[in-house]
Amino acid sequence: MNTRKTSRGRLSINLDALRSNYRLLQDKVGQGCRVAAVLKADAYGLGAVTVGRALLEEGCETFFVACLDEALELRAAFKDVRIAILNGFYESEADLFVQHDLIPVLGSFMEVEGYKALGVKHGRALPAFLKFNTRMNRLGFGSVETQEMLSDLSMLDGIDVRCVMSHFACADEVDHPMVQMQFELFNEVAVHFPAAEKSLCNSFGIFRSDEYHFDMVRPGMALYGLNPTPETDNPMQQVINLDLPIIRVRMVYDGAHVGYGATYRFERGSWLATVSAGYADGLHWAQGNEGAFFWKGYKCPIRGRLSMDLTTVDLSVVPEGERPKPGDFLEVIGPHQSAAEFGKSGGGFDYEVLTSLSGRYERIYTKC
Amino acid sequence: MNTRKTSRGRLSINLDALRSNYRLLQDKVGQGCRVAAVLKADAYGLGAVTVGRALLEEGCETFFVACLDEALELRAAFKDVRIAILNGFYESEADLFVQHDLIPVLGSFMEVEGYKALGVKHGRALPAFLKFNTRMNRLGFGSVETQEMLSDLSMLDGIDVRCVMSHFACADEVDHPMVQMQFELFNEVAVHFPAAEKSLCNSFGIFRSDEYHFDMVRPGMALYGLNPTPETDNPMQQVINLDLPIIRVRMVYDGAHVGYGATYRFERGSWLATVSAGYADGLHWAQGNEGAFFWKGYKCPIRGRLSMDLTTVDLSVVPEGERPKPGDFLEVIGPHQSAAEFGKSGGGFDYEVLTSLSGRYERIYTKC
């Protein structure tokens, strides 16, 4: 009897590949530079605690997260690592920063004042990273604030400034003029903080110039196997595989439609597989009639709209003797299709594929 | 001191509106028809157990989910409700169906054989729903299989067929020819099962014709406040509000850019707010430079690309005296923008907004 074997998609995360990626980045920046790890958004969907544990074993000492909840999850798992919160300091949650030894990345005078007050309350200068806006205009001290601060650094008295940072906006593009400009703007500020670490690079920046590395780099996507040099081959190892189970195979006749809105019409009789995952699982609705899954290397295009929990793909290209059956798994991300390739189908974005990965998948951590 | 108050987005779910929507649907279909509730994908992102509890109090007796894990979560919370699994029966998980009194929706001979074998093992006819494919070509018995089954219903001996079902593909469109065709195809099959309940309607179908209601309807989106009659005003009450906290407000000069890729250029000096949520929180990358948030009714367009954890919006339209500050919350879904309106910005899909709602949000269940 050939009944289905399971109903869940399988998300495999190769921890050896992750660790290898970390070592590649450490080799790239050299011994004088620390490789921190960006673990926000649950380590881009791969599981922050498990990823964090693997990276600690490689010597990683600093984790970056976006928000307090993420920091608390990591602190509960790891006693000694340094944890910095990129989205900054929040008054209502202030005492938790001290209690759990968390470091805010401060980027406004408002935060500086609030954090100084917290230090007064606790009777010591508390550790902070400072973020300077170098024209990305998202977070960080703006140019006017920066000038004001540099003209009177005593406004930082009462804060233990451990690190000064900025963030590249366009380092994914070769020779984008903003990259060098951001470097120069950051450098002008950084020299005023001789005792603090300096950090500028995201994954892309690491590969643009050794000059950008400073004391610490902050890769995220490169650790997880995405390509930090989009203009050329990916130097990183692929970390994740996503495979989805077929729950139904059927033949449809010419003229048949499939899915909501009957948006796809078959011009000839075709074999169709229905897979047990849809846009509620982090596949994107925009991939309807656009993306593809793979079976033994055969590219099987998505037909019709994605449903919330189901996706239908065309098996016509697969020779009859090799046709998959219910219970077989189709490759979504794997040897034949990278996360970036799948993410971009339907006009999407490669990182978004990772951060949308479903809680309904079975997560399997593998070592080679 | 005006330090930020919190770092988390607030997802408010109005349980009174949900219950009112349930009652409206029950009134619509009348006493002879049961209103089941589709709670898959964590009740479209709103929290399956809490939503389920509220609907049980309204008299709901049947829940539909997509997969086994979702069924087990609900069964752990509710002892007596009927729970059916739309994505069917899986051999490896077979005993759990019996152990937790779960009903598979069977749609292939393969499943029928497997489920009959399970009944033999347990010494009784186990309950099942049957799903017939009426040219949506996603799940369910196909036309050839259906003819074979109807010519010899003894193949179902050993299964307690409680309900026969099909599913509308195009009921969101007024007078789409496929709707009536699916009804007729279903009706032809349904008459062969006089003892079983019949069920055809999703949310849209409920509003298309009373003739389609049969014994049970299966709304999802209408319960959660989306519009089951897209051609006219939404008869349902809005159930969710999503508000995101500002963590930074800044002025940018004319010629400035914002965000990754520097994709937006300000033609004049503008006020910009950075909000603590991005595409890892279920906002969609495609909404960069497309979507908008609201502040006191003022529409504030998203500028630049969305980041993973941050989004920047233009406050220029807000009068100076009313400008929001860090700690204030912008409306994403609420009185000025429905989930559907927000979801469709950037070419997205309204349901997808719900099923992507972030685990990083604070969920607040309200009653009026």
Side-chain angles (χ1 to χ4, degrees):
Chain A
M1 198 185 321
N2 180 30
T3 322
R4 301 173 195 161
K5 297 295 185 293
T6 178
S7 61
R8 303 175 75 188
R10 286 185 195 145
L11 175 64
S12 302
I13 298 152
N14 184 331
L15 294 175
D16 283 337
L18 172 81
R19 292 172 65 151
S20 169
N21 287 342
Y22 185 87
R23 289 194 299 271
L24 184 150
L25 296 172
Q26 184 67 71
D27 287 347
K28 174 80 184 152
V29 299
Q31 285 305 314
C33 180
R34 191 196 290 263
V35 180
V38 178
L39 299 184
K40 58 194 173 71
D42 200 27
Y44 293 34
L46 306 193
V49 169
T50 307
V51 165
R53 183 173 297 116
L55 296 178
L56 286 177
E57 290 175 14
E58 289 296 328
C60 184
E61 299 165 318
T62 305
F63 294 157
F64 284 89
V65 295
C67 59
L68 185 75
D69 291 310
E70 295 175 338
L72 293 175
E73 184 193 14
L74 287 172
R75 178 58 77 213
F78 308 114
K79 190 156 168 261
D80 293 323
V81 71
R82 187 163 71 154
I83 301 174
I85 301 181
L86 290 162
N87 286 13
F89 175 68
Y90 318 97
E91 186 174 75
S92 66
E93 301 159 344
D95 289 323
L96 292 170
F97 280 80
V98 179
Q99 192 178 332
H100 297 281
D101 192 17
L102 307 174
I103 301 176
V105 179
L106 306 177
S108 68
F109 285 178
M110 185 183 290
E111 288 171 284
V112 165
E113 292 306 312
Y115 199 59
K116 281 169 72 169
L118 185 67
V120 169
K121 178 178 168 186
H122 287 271
R124 62 188 168 94
L126 297 171
F129 293 2
L130 303 184
K131 182 163 188 176
F132 293 90
N133 176 30
T134 50
R135 304 202 186 156
M136 188 177 182
N137 289 317
R138 202 177 55 162
L139 291 179
F141 300 102
S143 53
V144 174
E145 292 164 311
T146 300
Q147 289 314 312
E148 189 178 338
M149 181 190 291
L150 296 182
S151 70
D152 181 11
L153 283 170
S154 72
M155 75 156 58
L156 297 171
D157 288 352
I159 292 180
D160 179 5
V161 177
R162 298 278 176 89
C163 178
V164 295
M165 302 169 40
S166 192
H167 192 70
F168 280 131
C170 302
D172 55 325
E173 294 180 44
V174 179
D175 294 332
H176 193 295
M178 198 159 156
V179 178
Q180 181 68 15
M181 186 199 71
Q182 287 193 283
F183 163 69
E184 289 168 8
L185 284 171
F186 176 66
N187 220 9
E188 287 170 19
V189 175
V191 294
H192 294 269
F193 297 89
E197 281 178 273
K198 283 86 183 173
S199 177
L200 178 59
C201 281
N202 57 3
S203 294
F204 297 116
I206 292 169
F207 289 84
R208 290 298 169 226
S209 167
D210 292 350
E211 204 177 19
Y212 301 159
H213 294 163
F214 293 96
D215 304 305
M216 177 166 63
V217 294
R218 311 185 305 269
M221 58 88 91
L223 288 171
Y224 310 125
L226 297 177
N227 188 354
T229 58
E231 70 282 3
T232 183
D233 290 345
N234 189 355
M236 316 311 295
Q237 289 186 32
Q238 190 159 314
V239 174
I240 75 166
N241 284 264
L242 176 62
D243 300 283
L244 299 179
I246 294 175
I247 61 174
R248 174 79 208 209
V249 173
R250 73 169 74 245
M251 212 194 81
V252 293
Y253 301 99
D254 58 294
H257 295 84
V258 61
Y260 283 113
T263 60
Y264 188 84
R265 183 178 187 278
F266 291 90
E267 297 302 324
R268 56 189 178 92
S270 303
W271 285 89
L272 200 58
T274 302
V275 158
S276 180
Y279 61 79
D281 299 291
L283 312 180
H284 281 186
W285 190 76
Q287 293 172 318
N289 289 318
E290 295 283 346
F293 301 164
F294 285 79
W295 169 251
K296 294 186 175 176
Y298 295 106
K299 184 174 183 174
C300 306
I302 294 173
R303 299 300 192 204
R305 289 187 189 157
L306 268 70
S307 298
M308 190 178 289
D309 320 284
L310 298 166
T311 303
T312 41
V313 300
D314 194 333
L315 301 178
S316 299
V317 73
V318 182
E320 183 173 351
E322 300 182 57
R323 195 176 297 137
K325 297 179 294 295
D328 287 330
F329 283 72
L330 299 185
E331 172 194 329
V332 180
I333 298 171
H336 301 93
Q337 179 165 258
S338 70
E341 286 163 340
F342 180 65
K344 286 174 180 164
S345 61
F349 184 58
D350 40 5
Y351 298 25
E352 199 175 19
V353 167
L354 300 187
T355 59
S356 307
L357 290 166
S358 172
R360 296 198 292 202
Y361 297 146
E362 181 184 11
R363 280 187 186 176
I364 303 166
Y365 291 94
T366 63
K367 302 183 183 190
C368 287
Chain B
M1 199 187 319
N2 179 30
T3 323
R4 300 170 196 165
K5 295 295 184 298
T6 178
S7 61
R8 303 175 75 189
R10 285 185 196 146
L11 175 64
S12 302
I13 297 150
N14 185 331
L15 295 174
D16 283 339
L18 172 81
R19 292 172 65 150
S20 169
N21 287 341
Y22 184 87
R23 289 194 298 272
L24 185 149
L25 296 171
Q26 184 66 72
D27 288 349
K28 175 78 183 154
V29 299
Q31 286 304 314
C33 180
R34 191 196 291 263
V35 180
V38 178
L39 299 185
K40 58 194 172 71
D42 200 27
Y44 293 33
L46 307 193
V49 169
T50 308
V51 164
R53 184 172 296 116
L55 295 178
L56 286 177
E57 292 175 12
E58 290 296 329
C60 184
E61 299 165 318
T62 304
F63 293 157
F64 284 90
V65 295
C67 58
L68 185 76
D69 291 310
E70 295 176 337
L72 294 175
E73 183 193 14
L74 287 171
R75 179 58 77 214
F78 309 114
K79 187 154 170 262
D80 294 324
V81 72
R82 188 163 71 155
I83 301 174
I85 301 181
L86 290 162
N87 287 13
F89 174 69
Y90 318 97
E91 186 174 75
S92 67
E93 301 158 344
D95 288 324
L96 292 170
F97 280 79
V98 179
Q99 193 177 334
H100 297 281
D101 193 17
L102 306 174
I103 302 175
V105 179
L106 306 177
S108 68
F109 286 177
M110 185 183 292
E111 288 171 284
V112 165
E113 292 307 310
Y115 199 59
K116 280 169 70 169
L118 185 67
V120 169
K121 177 177 168 186
H122 288 271
R124 62 187 168 94
L126 297 172
F129 293 1
L130 303 184
K131 183 162 186 177
F132 293 91
N133 177 31
T134 50
R135 304 203 186 156
M136 188 176 182
N137 289 318
R138 202 177 55 163
L139 291 179
F141 301 103
S143 53
V144 173
E145 293 163 311
T146 300
Q147 289 313 312
E148 188 177 340
M149 182 190 293
L150 295 183
S151 71
D152 180 11
L153 283 171
S154 71
M155 76 156 57
L156 297 171
D157 286 353
I159 292 180
D160 179 5
V161 177
R162 299 279 177 89
C163 179
V164 295
M165 302 169 39
S166 192
H167 193 69
F168 280 131
C170 302
D172 55 324
E173 293 181 45
V174 179
D175 295 332
H176 194 294
M178 197 159 158
V179 178
Q180 181 67 17
M181 186 200 70
Q182 288 192 281
F183 163 70
E184 289 167 9
L185 284 171
F186 176 66
N187 219 9
E188 287 171 19
V189 175
V191 294
H192 294 270
F193 297 88
E197 281 177 274
K198 283 88 185 171
S199 178
L200 178 59
C201 280
N202 58 2
S203 295
F204 296 117
I206 292 169
F207 290 84
R208 291 296 169 226
S209 167
D210 291 351
E211 204 177 18
Y212 301 159
H213 293 164
F214 293 97
D215 304 306
M216 177 166 62
V217 295
R218 312 185 305 268
M221 59 89 91
L223 288 171
Y224 310 126
L226 297 177
N227 188 356
T229 58
E231 70 282 4
T232 184
D233 291 345
N234 189 355
M236 315 312 295
Q237 289 186 32
Q238 190 159 315
V239 174
I240 75 164
N241 284 261
L242 176 62
D243 300 282
L244 299 179
I246 294 175
I247 60 174
R248 173 79 208 209
V249 173
R250 74 169 74 244
M251 214 194 79
V252 292
Y253 301 99
D254 58 292
H257 295 84
V258 62
Y260 283 113
T263 59
Y264 188 84
R265 183 178 187 278
F266 291 90
E267 296 303 323
R268 57 190 177 90
S270 303
W271 286 89
L272 200 59
T274 302
V275 158
S276 179
Y279 62 78
D281 299 291
L283 311 180
H284 281 187
W285 191 76
Q287 293 173 317
N289 288 319
E290 294 284 345
F293 300 164
F294 284 79
W295 169 250
K296 294 186 174 177
Y298 295 106
K299 185 174 182 174
C300 305
I302 294 172
R303 299 301 191 203
R305 289 187 189 158
L306 268 70
S307 297
M308 189 178 291
D309 319 284
L310 298 166
T311 304
T312 41
V313 299
D314 194 332
L315 302 178
S316 299
V317 72
V318 182
E320 184 174 351
E322 301 182 57
R323 196 176 296 138
K325 297 180 294 294
D328 288 330
F329 283 72
L330 298 185
E331 172 194 329
V332 179
I333 297 170
H336 300 94
Q337 180 164 257
S338 70
E341 287 163 340
F342 180 65
K344 287 173 181 166
S345 62
F349 184 57
D350 39 6
Y351 299 26
E352 198 175 18
V353 166
L354 299 186
T355 58
S356 307
L357 290 166
S358 171
R360 297 199 290 202
Y361 296 147
E362 181 183 11
R363 280 187 186 176
I364 303 167
Y365 291 94
T366 64
K367 301 182 182 190
C368 287

